[in-house]
């Protein structure tokens, strides 16, 4: 792979290092031609053509012994034979027992394997199949079934390193079910298409190199044509699908599409159209710098769902059509998560404009299941823009052999070189000696130079930098015992008794931290038991933070911690049991009855009271940092209690304006001011609570990518509707007849103030409590309308609210971190004293 080096670094022996750079590139062979095998139409006695490929029917003579079946299998045909279904998906081969296709491999290398599944009806429906697929002892597909009624095939794509000989793909039915497949592709990819090593990136930053990628199978998760449209196999040299990036953007207004369709990419240095097609390199997203954004201090960020706590191979594609001239090439930063950055400088790879290049990484995901990738300007380059053309993310699956990590803390950019031929052996030796000399000199550089570009671009506004508290995100609590409340410790045996040894029947949920069980302690107390995966250290900071925060605060509207267990590497938290579950469950995506409007108001007031206590319960207080509808729980009387304090941070003394910290939270609820500046304040919670208020009013998720683009983000869509006088488009139809108009105005006005772009313009939670209580009074008493209150819509607009379609939530959680040592004990602050309206300093 290309290793992007800083342009400031000056090396001796430039001609030797140029040869070294060329030898270290993981590029496909220019002599590659697309193979004509294997393309199999399963269960068919005729050949099928699809996207320029000819799929050979496995019942025809075209097989010629190049692949065989093992054990019993049967061909089946679609009984409907719809003309809308491509011929390739009108036949299939089914397996009633463990069976395989066995292919003869004559050339070793990385192979691209695609399995096509499409459910149709014959004597049985293929959607009822449940099975696994294995290849070379790697589980490719597990507990797999094809959704009933799907109009599109399901295609699973893998990259697998295969040696010469026989290569079987096993189909294994589960229980009394069966397995099936409609088509198989298996062909040799370009030489060195996938590298063996690549830089390893974790949520905490760089972690050396990851060795042995080729000993694993790669499953394609995302293949993104950034700035472009959907590309089908007809548009791709290796018959790949590419999808647009718009639905993955965190803030769409930060980016703009650019295209250069009339100019063919200038392929060179061994990069060919097989890496990615022309249309990927001819389109891109660039920073949207305009009159509304006079500063270049922002990034473009994409967020991708990935497998939790798994390794992923990430390939990032660039093609510089943006730079003014070959002599003045653009420099910018690529970020993965928040703690890793890499300078992107086309001059390190090519001196030509419009020359495609790519960078590879192995990225270790956290327990959030979200991977964030950003681009942004470098402060020291003078450039004000950045661009991205394409992105591929593949999950690294089970291995064929031992895989090792290597770490070199002295030089995070150390390249791994491959001897590419005996003829070049002498040059390789010379080059390695040159690198050793260079590394020796670089190791003597000051550490400040080594980490110059390893943190995201800081953004500050005037008037807020004088009192910053720098909190190191990597600071851990240390051992559990010195900091935790030992009076809350519960034995593992007691928890086993409470949950009937974690009986699956007592399971009530599963989250990023672990599985939640309902239990009953020996004293009869009903509890919720949250257990992390046994032996796993994922979530340790959140575990410690939750215990420390909840052992020091008590309030009617904050979930109480009953105890915890840390025996034998266990991480278990025991809470009071909340009978009615989450607020979200009662708003949408649930069979539960809809909450009446007055009850929703009371729940909002309760949650706001809890947050206000969290912020102002004592000097300094805490910032929750993950306020959302799933973290508002309801007890048996529908009393709201805020939960999940794993991301909480100290807010500092009263004269402290903010805490500078890495961005954490949940997309859709995340404060844009915090996201841009990395400066966390209690107003960040206020913004998130404003989104919750809109969820309560509209009964839809904060982010819903299934809706039209302008409606995806609830906060943006609701504020747009309010300004346009179209509030009726967002109110939950089930409560439209219950809401008093004056109450609605006050409620929406409160939410709008919470959602102000800058934190200084938002109310504090005490003001929010007061406003919501006033809205409740307006709901309970039909007060006359005041002219100045008419900020949303008129009465006639509320008479006929249309039904709003509520689609499933696709909210996405970002990565988590730890919290600094807490300094004050809040457990002795009486709730009634703290929350008396007569005694709050800033109460109205």
């Amino acid at each position: 792979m290309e290793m992007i080096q800083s342009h400031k670094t000056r090396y001796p022996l430039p001609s030797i290092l140029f040869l070294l750079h060329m030898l270290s590139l993981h590029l496909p062979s220019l002599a590659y031609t697309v193979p004509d095998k294997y393309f199999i139409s399963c269960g068919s006695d005729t050949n099928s053509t699809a996207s320029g490929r000819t799929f050979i029917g496995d019942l025809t003579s075209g097989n010629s012994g190049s692949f065989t079946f093992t054990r019993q299998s049967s061909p089946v045909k679609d009984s409907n034979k719809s003309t809308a279904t491509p011929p390739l998906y009108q036949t299939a081969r089914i397996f009633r027992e463990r069976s395989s296709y066995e292919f003869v491999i004559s050339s070793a290398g990385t192979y691209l394997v695609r399995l096509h599944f499409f459910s149709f009806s014959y004597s049985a429906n293929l959607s009822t199949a449940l099975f696994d697929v294995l290849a070379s002892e790697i589980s490719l597909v597990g507990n797999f079934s094809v959704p009933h009624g799907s109009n599109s095939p399901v295609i699973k794509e893998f990259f697998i390193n295969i040696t010469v000989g026989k290569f079987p793909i096993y189909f294994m039915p589960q229980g009394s079910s069966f397995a099936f497949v409609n088509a198989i592709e298996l062909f040799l990819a370009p030489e060195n298409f996938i590298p063996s090593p690549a830089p390893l990136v974790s949520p905490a930053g760089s972690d050396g190199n990851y060795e042995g990628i080729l000993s694993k199978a790669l499953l394609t998760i995302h293949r993104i044509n950034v700035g472009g449209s959907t590309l089908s196999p007809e548009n791709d040299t290796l018959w790949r699908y590419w999808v647009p990036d718009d639905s993955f953007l965190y803030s769409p207004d930060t980016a703009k599409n650019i295209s250069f369709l009339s100019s063919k990419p200038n392929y060179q240095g061994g990069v060919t159209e097989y890496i990615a097609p022309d249309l990927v390199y001819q389109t891109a997203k660039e920073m949207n710098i305009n009159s509304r954004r006079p500063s270049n201090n922002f990034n473009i960020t994409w967020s991708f769902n990935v497998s939790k706590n798994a390794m992923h191979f990430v390939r990032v594609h660039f093609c510089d059509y943006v730079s003014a001239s070959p002599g003045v090439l653009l420099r910018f930063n690529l970020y993965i998560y928040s703690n890793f950055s890499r300078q992107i400088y086309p001059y390190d790879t090519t001196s030509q404009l419009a020359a495609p290049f790519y960078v590879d990484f192995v990225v270790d995901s956290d327990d959030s299941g979200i991977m964030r990738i950003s681009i942004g300007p470098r402060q020291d380059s003078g450039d004000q823009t950045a661009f991205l053309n394409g992105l591929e993310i593949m999950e690294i699956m089970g291995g064929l052999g031992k895989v090792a990590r290597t770490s070199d803390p002295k030089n995070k950019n150390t390249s791994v070189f491959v001897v590419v031929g005996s003829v070049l052996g002498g040059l390789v030796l010379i080059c390695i000696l040159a690198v050793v000399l260079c590394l020796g000199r670089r190791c003597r550089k000051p550490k400040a130079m080594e980490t110059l570009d390893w943190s995201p671009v800081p953004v500050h506004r005037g008037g807020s930098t004088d009192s910053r508290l720098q909190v190191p995100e990597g600071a851990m609590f240390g051992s559990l015992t010195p900091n935790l409340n030992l009076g809350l410790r519960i034995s593992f045996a007691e928890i086993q008794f409470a949950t009937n040894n974690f009986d699956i029947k007592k399971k009530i949920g599963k989250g990023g931290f672990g599985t939640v069980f309902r239990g009953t302690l020996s004293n009869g107390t009903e509890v919720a038991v949250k257990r992390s995966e046994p032996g796993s250290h994922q979530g340790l900071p959140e575990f410690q933070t939750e215990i420390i925060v909840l052992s020091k605060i008590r309030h009617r509207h904050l979930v109480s911690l009953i105890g915890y267990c840390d025996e034998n590497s266990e991480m278990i938290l025991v809470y009071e049991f909340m009978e009615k579950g989450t607020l979200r469950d009662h708003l949408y995506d649930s069979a539960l009855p809809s909450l009446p409007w007055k009850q929703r108001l009371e729940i909002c007031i309760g949650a706001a009271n809890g947050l206000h206590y969290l912020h102002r319960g004592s000097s300094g207080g805490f910032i929750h940092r993950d306020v959302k509808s799933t973290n508002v729980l309801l007890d048996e009387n529908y009393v709201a209690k805020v939960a999940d304090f794993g991301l909480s941070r100290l807010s500092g003394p009263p004269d402290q304006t903010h805490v500078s910290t890495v961005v954490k939270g949940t997309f859709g609820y995340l404060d844009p001011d915090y996201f841009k500046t990395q400066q966390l304040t209690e107003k960040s919670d206020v913004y998130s609570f404003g989104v919750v208020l809109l969820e309560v009013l509209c009964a839809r998720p904060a982010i819903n990518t299934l809706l039209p683009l302008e409606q995806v983000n609830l906060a943006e869509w609701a504020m747009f509707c309010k300004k346009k006088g179209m509030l009726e488009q967002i109110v939950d139809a089930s409560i439209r007849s219950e809401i008093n108009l004056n109450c609605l105005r006050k409620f929406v006005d409160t939410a709008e103030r919470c959602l102000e772009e800058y934190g200084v313009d938002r109310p504090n939670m005490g003001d929010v409590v007061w406003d919501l209580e006033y809205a409740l009074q307006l709901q309970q008493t039909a007060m006359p309308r005041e002219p100045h209150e008419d900020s949303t819509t008129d009465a006639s607009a509320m008479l006929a609210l249309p039904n709003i379609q509520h689609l499933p939530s696709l909210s996405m959680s970002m990565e988590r971190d730890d919290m600094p040592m807490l300094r004050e004990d809040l457990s002795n602050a009486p709730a009634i004293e703290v929350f008396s309206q007569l005694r709050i300093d800033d109460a109205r």
Side-chain angles (χ1 to χ4, degrees), residues 497-509 516-520:
F497 169 81
T499 60
N500 194 21
N501 198 22
F502 304 101
D503 187 347
I504 192 65
K505 295 179 181 178
K506 291 183 173 289
K507 178 180 174 180
I508 56 176
V516 183
F517 299 86
R518 182 171 184 170
T520 305

Side-chain angles (χ1 to χ4, degrees), residues 628-639:
K628 54 187 177 181
S629 58
T630 52
N631 286 340
V632 176
L633 304 183
L634 307 176
D635 70 8
E636 67 277 9
N637 298 314
Y638 291 93
V639 173

Side-chain angles (χ1 to χ4, degrees), residues 27 92 557:
L27 301 173
H557 293 293

